[in-house]
Amino acid sequence: MPVETLAFVVVFAPLLGAIICGLFNRFIGEKPAMMVATGGLFVAAAAAATIFIGHWTHTLHLPDEPIRLFRWIDVAGFTSYWSIRLDAISAVMMIVVTSVSALVHLYSWGYMAEDPHKPRFFAYLSLFTFAMLSLVTAADFMQLFFGWEGVGLASYLLIGFWYKKRSANDAQIKAFVVNRVGDFGFALGIFAVFHVFGTLEFAEVFAQLDAKAGAVLQAGSWSFPAIEAIAFLLFVGAMGKSAQFFLHTWLPDAMEGPTPVSALIHAATMVTAGVVLVCLCSPIYERAPGASGFITILGAVTALFAATVGLAQNDIKRVIAYSTCSQLGFMFFAAGIGAYQAAMFHLFTHAFFKALLFLGAGSVIHGMHHEQDMRRMGAVAKYMPLTYGAMLIGTLAITGVGIPHTPVGFAGFFSKDAIIESTYAAGMNGSGVAFAAFWIALIAATLTSFYSWRLAFMTFHGTAKWTADGHDGHDDHAHAHGAGDHAHGHAAPAAATVPVVTGTGDAAAAHATDAAGGDGHHAWHGPHESPLTMMIPLALLALGAVLAGTVFYDAFVGHHAKEFWGSAIYNAPDNNLLKDKYEIPGWVFWAPAGVMVIGLLAALYFYLFNEGLGKKIADRGGLLHGFLYNKWYFDELYDFVFVKGARALGDLFWKVGDQKIIDGLGPNGIAATLGAATKRLVKIQTGYVYHYAFLMLIAAVALGAYILMRGA
């Protein structure tokens, strides 16, 4: 099959699935509609794998020019074609997006078995996937912006999927508003690109960069170097979409959506859009050292900030969410120093092990009767050995377990170490910002190891904090329906009470019987493994977390990296990080492994060898714990400055400006005085003739008296 046909299938198969599943499920039935959506993703994943493997093995040639499908904008001389750009970046992102999305679709068959609106959920998943594919295959900024806003829309719909749940509604609005802040900067960046270059086509813009090196943008009396300003504005959009420091607050709250949503949107695809943007625009950022330095600093700060907050969280999904935020920081400071290949490699491996962790957490929540608080777990490994094995592999991958100078290691070992090594190399070349980022990265890696193993020990080891009847001193029914992942008005799915090999159809039937015969809440008999449709994706993602780093290291960041990435990533002539990272001191290669062991030992001490010590420290509170537990008080700060500030400003204009000044001088002032005077004056008009005759007589006497007085 021609590569152009394969690319068309990759992009539009999810859209077709979304349309059929979302609009025609009432005609073809619920399960056929879900099968169409899921099947479309597996077809797209197969086509994407063909393109990716073909490019990797040099058995398939990617076209030099984008595939132009149709003209979708033609206004006042501006034309934009809907295109499919096929290069190394789009090939990598197509396999990441479609493979993770396909597995999430399959996982959702078991996880969402009880939900009455499954076709709508699957349609949203497929719609999101289409929007993300439109973004990563765009050949100009206009189509990229369409995909950018499309994933924002789909994430809004998916985060608030359980729309009767107040916290889900609040979370979707928060995600929407925060991303609009970033998107405003992104839109300004696109306007600036068109103003300076007269086009939005990537190839045409990049070709003019040297000629426009001295261009400036004027804003009143201020002038800015055009390329620096464009690079900065585009990154503001990336800050919002990829939840970087200051615009990160929406990401943890987005965990209010179903867990498959967390795995798809907030681990593997949408949040990486900003990283893709920066790497795709590497010709711009290589010529914008100021913006690149800012990206390096902000990425390092984000990596450290999110890692510190992850230490004190107790919700299993929120710990993983802050982990995502931290790992995105790693990707950004790698891109900031010019190690775009390492950033894309970490994006690639992170997609698999982070989706594995999220879906594994979903399996735990499913098996723990919708419990998400790790303080109410413990000793789950005995009852959920398959889920434990998958989560253990994900933990080994994210903490970077491996042996330096050997092909032995999990995915995160190869990709995260490549970032740390490149950062040190950039520091050796004279970049003080990169050198600072290196040390911050080691601290963040230490904390990553600690909170990742903390999650594993609190959840799967130690003593059980639950009882088989589902009660541990709190109202389990209220908790399950008010705070759990399935808090949408339904009982725990009976799929959790049947053997793993049982199909989801039998599970749904069992649940229906239970709901019909009781009050919607049945006895819980302890943790259970999840249905087969949930375990297969975990197994496949675990395989990726084990092999992705070993298999693809050489192509992504090794000796064949330039050949693999080709013209998709641009490195300036003085950017030799791909080579320089092999010239660093030996201790730097071992430093990530060392800090990983430190984090592991600390977690063992606090949460396994001295179980309960961590709880005592948390219960004791203190300034530091409160600071971390409350996420550096960003939500409180933003609430005070923006929410309460906007309300205070509104009250000022309303109560002072409108009521006291405008109404006081207008309706309640001059107008009121005139009105009152008018009411008194109209009383003179009585309608009686003798009153008017009397007034005329009085007037005549007064006039006569005046004349006599004047004469005198």
Side-chain angles (χ1 to χ4, degrees), residues 122-134:
F122 278 77
Y124 288 170
L125 288 180
S126 295
L127 177 65
F128 168 83
T129 307
F130 163 70
M132 189 67 193
L133 290 167
S134 301

Side-chain angles (χ1 to χ4, degrees), residues 200-577:
L200 293 180
E201 294 275 350
F202 294 142
E204 296 179 12
V205 170
F206 298 158
Q208 298 182 51
L209 284 170
D210 289 331
K212 299 289 186 178
V216 296
L217 288 174
Q218 204 74 26
S221 60
W222 298 82
S223 60
F224 306 93
I227 295 178
E228 287 279 8
I230 288 170
F232 176 79
L233 290 171
L234 292 177
F235 178 65
V236 171
M239 284 175 62
K241 197 66 70 182
S242 296
Q244 292 301 280
F245 198 65
F246 296 124
L247 296 181
H248 66 277
T249 54
W250 67 271
L251 183 63
D253 287 1
M255 299 303 104
E256 291 294 336
T259 296
V261 173
S262 305
L264 177 62
I265 297 180
H266 308 293
T269 51
M270 185 181 107
V271 294
T272 61
V275 180
V276 173
L277 173 66
V278 174
C279 294
L280 179 63
C281 295
S282 56
I284 294 176
Y285 287 97
E286 286 290 86
R287 295 170 172 85
S292 295
F294 178 75
I295 294 173
T296 304
I297 295 170
L298 199 72
V301 170
T302 303
L304 181 62
F305 154 76
T308 60
V309 174
L311 299 174
Q313 302 307 304
N314 298 310
D315 185 305
I316 187 172
K317 287 175 63 178
R318 285 181 180 266
V319 174
I320 302 174
Y322 277 106
S323 169
T324 298
C325 193
S326 181
Q327 297 305 306
L328 288 167
F330 275 85
M331 299 176 207
F332 272 112
F333 73 70
I337 63 170
Y340 309 101
Q341 297 87 346
M344 288 298 300
F345 188 31
H346 196 48
L347 184 158
F348 179 77
T349 62
H350 175 266
F352 296 107
F353 63 71
K354 188 52 64 67
L356 172 62
L357 288 170
F358 264 120
L359 294 186
S363 182
V364 171
I365 295 167
H366 187 282
M368 285 292 295
H369 205 46
H370 308 315
E371 182 62 75
Q372 293 182 209
D373 193 329
M374 297 185 299
R375 294 171 297 182
R376 297 189 179 117
M377 297 182 185
V380 175
K382 176 182 177 182
Y383 304 91
M384 304 181 70
L386 299 179
T387 299
Y388 171 60
M391 290 286 284
L392 181 61
I393 290 174
T395 303
L396 292 169
I398 193 173
T399 56
V401 174
I403 304 175
H405 302 297
T406 72
V408 179
F410 292 83
F413 162 73
F414 293 97
S415 59
K416 188 161 63 175
D417 283 23
I419 290 176
I420 294 174
E421 292 160 9
S422 299
T423 306
Y424 188 88
M428 289 179 60
N429 293 338
S431 172
V433 171
F435 204 64
F438 166 77
W439 291 106
I440 292 175
L442 288 183
I443 298 171
T446 308
L447 301 179
T448 299
S449 178
F450 179 79
Y451 68 66
S452 297
W453 289 112
R454 170 181 178 263
L455 183 151
F457 296 149
M458 289 182 68
T459 304
F460 295 103
H461 294 277
T463 57
K465 314 302 188 301
W466 46 268
T467 55
D469 63 356
H471 296 277
D472 59 353
H474 69 288
D475 186 353
D476 185 73
H477 185 273
H479 177 79
H481 292 273
D485 194 43
H486 279 273
H488 56 297
H490 299 279
T497 66
V498 295
V500 172
V501 295
T502 305
T504 55
D506 294 338
H511 168 59
T513 302
D514 179 80
D519 61 356
H521 179 70
H522 54 268
W524 179 57
H525 304 294
H528 311 271
E529 281 292 12
S530 300
L532 188 61
T533 51
M534 293 172 63
M535 299 312 299
I536 291 175
L538 289 181
L540 294 175
L541 289 169
L543 185 64
V546 171
L547 297 178
T550 304
V551 174
F552 296 107
Y553 175 85
D554 188 60
F556 277 73
V557 294
H559 297 292
H560 294 90
K562 286 191 174 181
E563 184 181 1
F564 177 84
W565 293 107
S567 61
I569 290 178
Y570 171 78
N571 288 120
D574 60 344
N575 184 345
N576 297 305
L577 289 178

Side-chain angles (χ1 to χ4, degrees), residues 60 190 256 333 365 388-389 394 634 637 680 708:
L60 184 148
I190 294 176
E256 291 294 336
F333 73 70
I365 295 167
Y388 171 60
F634 262 98
L637 176 63
R680 290 181 174 88
L708 291 173

Side-chain angles (χ1 to χ4, degrees), residues 36-334:
V36 168
T38 306
L41 259 299
F42 275 94
V43 169
T50 303
I51 295 173
F52 174 75
I53 294 173
H55 172 67
W56 175 47
T57 58
H58 310 293
T59 58
L60 184 148
H61 175 70
L62 300 181
D64 296 326
E65 296 292 328
I67 305 167
R68 289 190 171 183
L69 300 179
F70 54 87
R71 185 171 54 192
W72 68 298
I73 295 179
D74 192 353
V75 179
F78 172 76
T79 302
S80 179
Y81 289 88
W82 190 281
S83 306
I84 299 178
R85 189 191 81 259
L86 284 176
D87 58 14
I89 290 179
S90 63
V92 169
M93 291 308 300
M94 283 193 292
I95 187 62
V96 166
V97 173
T98 56
S99 61
V100 173
S101 182
L103 294 177
V104 167
H105 275 70
L106 178 60
Y107 181 92
S108 299
W109 277 76
Y111 194 84
M112 302 294 290
E114 66 172 11
D115 198 281
H117 306 295
K118 291 187 289 294
R120 177 165 62 89
F121 182 75
F122 278 77
Y124 288 170
L125 288 180
S126 295
L127 177 65
F128 168 83
T129 307
F130 163 70
M132 189 67 193
L133 290 167
S134 301
L135 188 160
V136 300
T137 59
D140 66 8
F141 283 102
M142 185 55 66
Q143 183 182 329
L144 187 145
F145 188 74
F146 171 87
W148 195 271
E149 297 303 313
V151 294
L153 167 65
S155 67
Y156 175 84
L157 296 172
L158 286 165
I159 293 168
F161 178 75
W162 290 323
Y163 56 88
K164 293 183 180 180
K165 185 180 175 186
R166 175 61 185 270
S167 58
N169 287 323
D170 292 344
Q172 69 175 173
I173 292 172
K174 188 174 184 179
F176 185 83
V177 171
V178 174
N179 273 275
R180 294 293 72 74
V181 175
D183 292 352
F184 178 70
F186 186 47
L188 290 179
I190 294 176
F191 298 156
V193 168
F194 188 75
H195 175 74
V196 173
F197 299 98
T199 180
L200 293 180
E201 294 275 350
F202 294 142
E204 296 179 12
V205 170
F206 298 158
Q208 298 182 51
L209 284 170
D210 289 331
K212 299 289 186 178
V216 296
L217 288 174
Q218 204 74 26
S221 60
W222 298 82
S223 60
F224 306 93
I227 295 178
E228 287 279 8
I230 288 170
F232 176 79
L233 290 171
L234 292 177
F235 178 65
V236 171
M239 284 175 62
K241 197 66 70 182
S242 296
Q244 292 301 280
F245 198 65
F246 296 124
L247 296 181
H248 66 277
T249 54
W250 67 271
L251 183 63
D253 287 1
M255 299 303 104
E256 291 294 336
T259 296
V261 173
S262 305
L264 177 62
I265 297 180
H266 308 293
T269 51
M270 185 181 107
V271 294
T272 61
V275 180
V276 173
L277 173 66
V278 174
C279 294
L280 179 63
C281 295
S282 56
I284 294 176
Y285 287 97
E286 286 290 86
R287 295 170 172 85
S292 295
F294 178 75
I295 294 173
T296 304
I297 295 170
L298 199 72
V301 170
T302 303
L304 181 62
F305 154 76
T308 60
V309 174
L311 299 174
Q313 302 307 304
N314 298 310
D315 185 305
I316 187 172
K317 287 175 63 178
R318 285 181 180 266
V319 174
I320 302 174
Y322 277 106
S323 169
T324 298
C325 193
S326 181
Q327 297 305 306
L328 288 167
F330 275 85
M331 299 176 207
F332 272 112
F333 73 70

